[in-house]
Each structure stands twice: as structure tokens, then as C-alpha cells.
Amino acid sequence: MDMIVRGGTVVTMDGPRRVVENGSVAVKNGRIVAVGSVAEIDRSYGSRQIVNATGKVVIPGLINGHTHVPMTLFRGLADDLDLQEWLTKYIFPAEAKNVTEEFVRVGTRLGLAEMIRSGTTTYCDMYYFEDAIADETAKAGVRGVLGETVIDFPVADNKTNAEAMAYVEKFVSKWKDNPLITPAIAPHAPYTVSEEHLKAARGFSDRTGAPIVTHISETKREVDDSLKAKGASPIDYLNRIGFLNDRVIAAHVVWPSATELALLKKLGVGIVHNPQSNMKLASGVAPVPRMLQDDLPVGLGTDGAASNNDLNLWEEMDTAAKLHKLFSNDPRVVSAQEAFEMATIRGARALHLEKEIGSIEVGKRADLVVVDFDDFNQTPFYNIYSGLVYATKADDVRTVIIEGRMVMRDRRLLTLNEATIKVDARRYRERIIRSLSAKTAPAD
Ligand SMILES: [Zn+2]
């Protein structure tokens, strides 16, 4: 064996949701080859690399289903605004003045460090220069579904749709066989990409098998505008033009009707719920209890750090469980276990990767997280899912393994340079402030 994670409480998230006390996980060639009690695994397997998980909890790596990873560099740049004002007055101008390939690399390394430290092993991204994001992600040993943005105005990496489509073509063929990276096409949203270009993105996905990452039905205003302009809600419109299928990963889906949810389920569209981002931008509350009741593939995401302001899945799990209880006036909805499922196996379904990740099962990729479970905030504990979702914090994550490779050991990052990441990010902060004040200077 290449590695044995030995002696912890293994929360498998397999079909029967098995929890193995004093369990072990054997890993070879990046995959899980055995899961069982310490005695069983010791009897059949040996390895030079033993990760001692005694007294700890071993979970499947967490899945961040939606983010814009380089936006870590805009963390806290503009808060407490509504989505349209936030986007058009702050984020789009700040991006226009600052986003370069180097910016994207620095922001990606920062986001990767933050995600590894909090036990995220897979993330789904949408941004510009996604080829550089893929490069940094693969180097850090992190798994990503990475979508190059297609949007109907000139952006940092591509000035026209033709350029963007050519970029995507090269990007997808370059990364499609990488074990960590699933390259994708990411038409930004139905209100920023024309029907023709949405259809072209779908055609590209049909031809190459690449997933489509997009935003759908994020705000009530988006739905109202769509009804006015197109005579249909965003979901109805996208369905009418043949855009939706089981390769689509839709972030938000805050405002679907019951009929639309049934349609999304029938078509196999993956959904990513971003509770903290939706709360911060007051976008609304997605009907997650209904999605869970109907067994839709819904995962959890942080969204970009500019609208959250961190990339911490533990907070999203905790928030998801509590937000829907409050909103539906029913403490029984979105249980701790369901919230944990959304960050693991159901999140894997949302990304259409449930055959590869999301649970600790023989044959799946060895994406494993060892969590300390003896801090004051976790003591005492009665129920494992309650302990994980309501009491565990990102700081309790101790060791992270992705594709059978250790990327953090005892809270030390092994594939990224912690010191230079912060220095680089702070240098960008100065540049970003200067770039924005340069714009307002003539008016002063
Ligand atoms: Zn987003």
C-alpha cells in the first residue's frame, strides 16, 4: 500500500452511511483499496506510510461546489451592497483594472491554501485565465472542476466570444486527461450571455463532454427581468433553448418554482447552494429542504471570497442547516447529516463526479481529511454528524490527502508556500486600492 490512514472514526458517507469506529483506510495509486476495522486492514495490508488517526475522525474531502478562486484578492473590497450594485460598481471595474494572469495565479494560491487548511479537496471554479488556475491547482495537488468564463463583454483574458471559445477549446484539450483537473466551459449567466453563445457553449460541451458551469436564478430581479425580456423565467428559457442537461452545474438556483425543480431533477442538472453568499447579498433563500426531499443533486459552495468572505465549507454546512430551519420555521429540515452530505456525497453528485469522489469507498479517489475531535468546542460529543456540522471548525482539520498524496500534514501545507502567499496577496491589495482611486481621482 502507498498509505494507510489508521485508527480513526471513519465517516464513510457510502450508501448505508457506515461509520467505522477504530477504522482504517488503505490507499494505492491514488485510490481507496480497502476500508475496514484496524484489525481487518492490519491483517491484509501493510505500508511504510502510516497516518495515525487514533482519536480523530476521517471524512471524505469536502467539496466546494462554487467559487471564483482568484477573487480571494478582492476579499472585503466592497461589502454590504446588493448584487447588481456590487457587481457593476465595484467588482467588474476592479476586475477590469487588475485581473491578469499573474493576479489569477496569486489569488488561486491564496484560495488553495485556505481551502486545504479547511479540508476542501475538490472545488468548482469559474473565472478568467482558467488555464493558469488549473496549473496552480494541479501543482498544489488539489482537485478542481475548472470553468473558463464566457461572457458577452470584453474581459481580461478574452475580448470576444470567438477568442473565448478558442481559449476554451485549447484549455479543455490540454487538461482533459489530468487526474485532478476536470476542465469545463463556464457561460457566466443567462443574463450576461446571448442565446446564440449559450447554444454554442452547449454544443461545445456535447462535442467534448466538458461540464458547463453557470449561475442560474440567483436573484428575484434576474427572474423578473427574464420574464420581461424573454417571456420566461431563467430556467424555462434555458430549457427552451436546449441548454440544460446532466453536464450542467448550476450555482444558486434561489428562485425556482416547484415545476422547475422537477424539471431540473428530470434533466439531471447539478445544483450548488451558496447560503452565506445568498444571505450576504440578500439574494433570497433557495428551496433546499424541497430539493433534499426530492433527492436533487445539490451541493454547497462558498461563492467567491468577495461575497462571503472566506472559502470555509464548515461555515457553509452550519449556515445551511440553520438558515433553512429559521426560514421554514421548522427545526427538522436540513439535518446535520443532510448538511454534511451536501458538502460530500451529494456535492459530488452536483458536480457529476459521484463515481469518483464524495465518499470513502473502495475504488474511489483517495481524497481524505483527518479531523481533530478533542478540542473544547467538540467536547463532549454524542452524534458524529452533529459534532462535525455544528461544533467542528476549519482549524480542527489536521491532515489532508488528495489523490493519495498528502498536501497538509499536522496543519502544515506541503505543496504551497505559506509565507510568500500572504506577502504576494498583500502586495496586490496595494495595487488594487491604487487602481480604484485612480478612477475616481479626476472627479475629486
Ligand atoms: Zn458565483
Side-chain angles (χ1 to χ4, degrees):
M1 290 304 107
D2 296 333
M3 178 190 288
I4 294 176
V5 181
R6 185 176 184 277
T9 298
V10 182
V11 180
T12 65
M13 302 311 285
D14 65 3
R17 302 290 185 262
R18 221 155 40 107
V19 176
V20 185
E21 301 292 346
N22 197 23
S24 281
V25 183
V27 173
K28 195 171 173 65
N29 296 329
R31 292 198 184 256
I32 296 165
V33 293
V35 185
S37 69
V38 164
E40 283 165 4
I41 302 295
D42 280 357
R43 216 177 301 133
S44 314
Y45 304 96
S47 171
R48 261 196 232 153
Q49 191 175 18
I50 303 285
V51 178
N52 183 3
T54 308
K56 303 182 193 310
V57 173
V58 183
I59 61 170
L62 302 180
I63 298 169
N64 185 350
H66 182 65
T67 192
H68 310 278
V69 70
M71 293 184 84
T72 45
L73 294 177
F74 295 135
R75 192 196 314 268
L77 173 69
D79 296 316
D80 311 328
L81 299 166
D82 83 38
L83 177 66
Q84 282 313 312
E85 190 182 7
W86 176 81
L87 267 180
T88 55
K89 285 200 186 147
Y90 295 90
I91 297 304
F92 288 154
E95 287 183 332
K97 287 168 186 294
N98 293 286
V99 176
T100 61
E101 184 180 327
E102 184 54 24
F103 171 101
V104 160
R105 285 183 183 276
V106 169
T108 299
R109 291 196 291 266
L110 174 62
L112 289 168
E114 188 184 352
M115 287 193 282
I116 294 172
R117 294 265 286 189
S118 52
T120 292
T121 56
T122 296
Y123 74 108
C124 179
D125 196 68
M126 172 200 289
Y127 211 62
Y128 313 107
F129 298 104
E130 205 68 35
D131 181 61
I133 296 176
D135 187 45
E136 295 295 336
T137 303
K139 275 196 232 157
V142 174
R143 193 178 306 288
V145 177
L146 307 178
E148 166 67 16
T149 298
V150 173
I151 194 162
D152 283 355
F153 53 81
V155 289
D157 53 351
N158 296 300
K159 304 304 167 201
T160 63
N161 182 259
E163 274 181 47
M165 293 306 285
Y167 184 109
V168 169
E169 189 84 49
K170 253 173 81 182
F171 170 62
V172 168
S173 72
K174 176 173 166 190
W175 291 98
K176 67 181 184 336
D177 297 321
N178 188 289
L180 289 171
I181 307 299
T182 305
I185 181 165
H188 175 263
Y191 60 91
T192 49
V193 183
S194 71
E195 179 174 333
E196 183 197 345
H197 294 161
L198 288 169
K199 285 179 172 164
R202 170 61 197 268
F204 174 81
S205 166
D206 287 346
R207 181 161 54 77
T208 58
I212 297 180
V213 178
T214 190
H215 297 103
I216 303 180
S217 253
E218 181 170 359
T219 62
K220 179 76 167 40
R221 179 176 160 183
E222 177 189 338
V223 176
D224 293 344
D225 288 352
S226 175
L227 285 168
K228 250 183 258 158
K230 303 181 178 102
S233 71
I235 293 170
D236 277 344
Y237 160 70
L238 291 171
N239 184 46
R240 191 177 73 201
I241 67 167
F243 180 81
L244 300 174
N245 71 0
D246 60 2
R247 280 191 307 276
V248 172
I249 301 162
H252 300 303
V253 193
V254 175
W255 295 95
S257 67
T259 329
E260 289 173 342
L261 279 186
L263 176 72
L264 294 180
K265 182 180 179 177
K266 193 180 93 195
L267 295 170
V269 174
I271 299 169
V272 182
H273 175 45
N274 301 264
Q276 291 200 340
S277 168
N278 295 162
M279 287 166 73
K280 186 156 179 273
L281 294 162
S283 300
V285 180
V288 169
R290 182 64 191 262
M291 293 174 186
L292 293 175
Q293 202 185 326
D294 295 343
D295 194 29
L296 267 71
V298 54
L300 287 176
T302 58
D303 211 345
S307 59
N308 185 305
N309 294 356
D310 55 27
L311 306 178
N312 181 338
L313 256 294
W314 298 91
E315 288 187 8
E316 299 301 327
M317 285 192 271
D318 185 63
T319 303
K322 290 171 181 166
L323 166 65
H324 297 287
K325 290 169 173 44
L326 178 69
F327 186 69
S328 58
N329 196 27
D330 183 353
R332 294 166 301 180
V333 302
V334 192
S335 66
Q337 182 174 334
E338 286 174 319
F340 194 70
E341 285 170 1
M342 283 197 282
T344 54
I345 187 63
R346 198 178 290 276
R349 284 175 57 198
L351 301 189
H352 313 299
L353 285 175
E354 69 274 15
K355 291 197 178 78
E356 297 289 336
I357 59 171
S359 61
I360 303 177
E361 288 184 81
V362 172
K364 283 205 175 176
R365 308 270 177 178
D367 294 0
L368 305 166
V369 172
V370 181
V371 184
D372 280 337
F373 228 72
D374 62 352
D375 212 336
F376 295 112
N377 52 291
Q378 296 163 310
T379 307
F381 95 91
Y382 298 94
N383 173 284
I384 191 74
Y385 299 108
S386 162
L388 286 166
V389 170
Y390 296 131
T392 298
K393 308 298 165 198
D395 285 354
D396 297 313
V397 170
R398 172 142 300 269
T399 291
V400 177
I401 296 150
I402 305 176
E403 188 85 3
R405 174 190 186 192
M406 210 176 297
V407 296
M408 181 170 84
R409 181 194 290 128
D410 296 327
R411 294 204 61 69
R412 278 209 40 230
L413 297 175
L414 303 178
T415 56
L416 289 158
N417 184 327
E418 298 182 24
T420 59
I421 285 172
K422 288 183 191 169
V423 171
D424 291 348
R426 288 180 185 130
R427 194 175 299 136
Y428 263 101
R429 173 187 179 273
E430 304 310 316
R431 275 204 219 176
I432 291 163
I433 290 172
R434 273 202 308 275
S435 78
L436 291 176
S437 62
K439 178 187 125 191
T440 54
D444 286 346

